[in-house]
Amino acid sequence: MPAHFDLLIRHGTCVLPWGVEATDVGVRNGRIVALGAAPDATAERTIDAKGLHVLPGLIDPHVHLRDPGDKAVETIPTGTRAAVLGGLAAVFDMPNTAPSIVDAEKLAWKQEYVERESWCDIGLYVGGTKANIPELAKLELGRGVCGIKIFAGSSTGDLLVEDDEHLEMVMRSGRRRIAYHSEDEYRLQDRKPMYKSGDPHRRHMEWRDVECAFLGTRRLMALARKTGRPAHILHVSTSEELDYLKDFRDVATCEVLVNHLTQVAPDCYDRLEGFGVMNPPIRGPEVQEACWRAINDGTVDTVGSDHAPHSREKKLLPWPDCPAGLTGVQTIVPVMLNHVNAGRLPLTRMVDLMCAGPARVYGVVGKGRLAAGYDADFTLVDMKKQRRIEDSWIVSPCGWTPFAGMEITGWPVGVIVRGHQVMRDDEVLGAPGGRLVRYTG
Ligand SMILES: [Zn+2]
């Protein structure tokens, strides 16, 4: 009897955990069941991936889909639609919405909502506050919860735990890895009066300087060691932190953003003005070089987009009244593929950063590698396809991207989530069928 599958991906170049191999992939009941299939194997559906790379479904572990919030900016359905059009099979969504996801009731609402409306699989962060510390141990074990998110420095929304006493209480509250926005709030507030409305946008990186980020990370590492609680430092933006974190592998993993790998100051502020303002700021070329060194020496565990859209109207306000945060969920994969084609990192390292990395950091079950028994999540990529990123392509209602005009080589042409194709050649297929991601807890 020839083998029979629900789905068979033929003739692709697969990025396996142990290397790149030309092999077929057989899927049954939403999971990978075979690497390699006999010529006479049959399937309900066959995808011919000749000329394409077959990657494990790519994960963006850092997005703000702003839902509940302003529907004219972003929602779960629009943001996850953007994700699959951009080549992602899963996203992990941040809790600083309006209202924030900080208690069991709001988490229950969001769990139910995303399973009705999400186009891709989705993980949920729960926000830590000074008030909900006693609940965190329970909340972090909720269905679909990838971890607790702490804003140790203020950004968009009202979540903030800035002092060592409360940070230590948070760390002693549970056991899973905590994700941190690391900027020192006291230094941010001290420096704020040095600037005024209408100052040039490049002042953003002077206000939120290197020491704001480095001091924040030094404080968090001291507390993480003291308590033994694992930490994930989001969007590391200084060479000082990247060097420092190498000595804290016992308690820390870290993320770098595609923005810090791609955009550079002062160009981003002079050219994009408010549309180049994010936290922590985009800095000079020496920081970008340090981020690439840390990608290539293995310091960095994950790459995220920090997709955090705002309306054009608000982004056009003078600095510092314009809110910080940029769209990115739809562009992270093309931009990273372009970096691969430019020789800045191997495709296998990109997959490590966007599949195995998030899986390892957050303890994801059944995703992050092409292997038997794992979810049948795939991103199909045409490494030769050339295309320009345009605002008109962006499906987030805010309708803009800081990467508009960028010429890209390497493009995602298909996304399959648990055996269902949800994107093919720039078209979204079927109905929203996203599920909550599972974790070892
Ligand atoms: Zn963020």
Side-chain angles (χ1 to χ4, degrees), residues 62-64 66 94-96 149 151 155-156 181 234-235 255 257 278-280 305-308 325:
H62 189 164
V63 302
H64 301 254
R66 306 289 196 216
M94 288 292 176
N96 55 327
K149 164 73 181 281
F151 287 87
S155 194
T156 298
H181 179 119
L234 299 162
H235 44 48
E255 171 196 71
L257 299 182
M278 62 177 297
N279 297 332
S305 72
D306 199 0
H307 176 76

Side-chain angles (χ1 to χ4, degrees), residues 15-97:
V15 177
L16 305 177
W18 49 87
V20 180
E21 283 182 19
T23 189
D24 299 333
V25 186
V27 171
R28 231 179 268 136
N29 297 322
R31 294 201 287 171
I32 296 168
V33 291
L35 294 182
D40 64 350
T42 56
E44 301 301 312
R45 249 195 94 228
T46 300
I47 293 175
D48 184 0
K50 195 170 180 346
L52 302 180
H53 281 79
V54 180
L55 315 182
L58 296 173
I59 300 169
D60 183 346
H62 189 164
V63 302
H64 301 254
L65 298 184
R66 306 289 196 216
D67 195 345
D70 181 353
K71 285 183 167 39
V73 171
E74 189 69 290
T75 62
I76 292 287
T78 56
T80 55
R81 196 179 173 86
V84 300
L85 278 168
L88 295 166
V91 296
F92 297 175
D93 190 34
M94 288 292 176
N96 55 327
T97 44

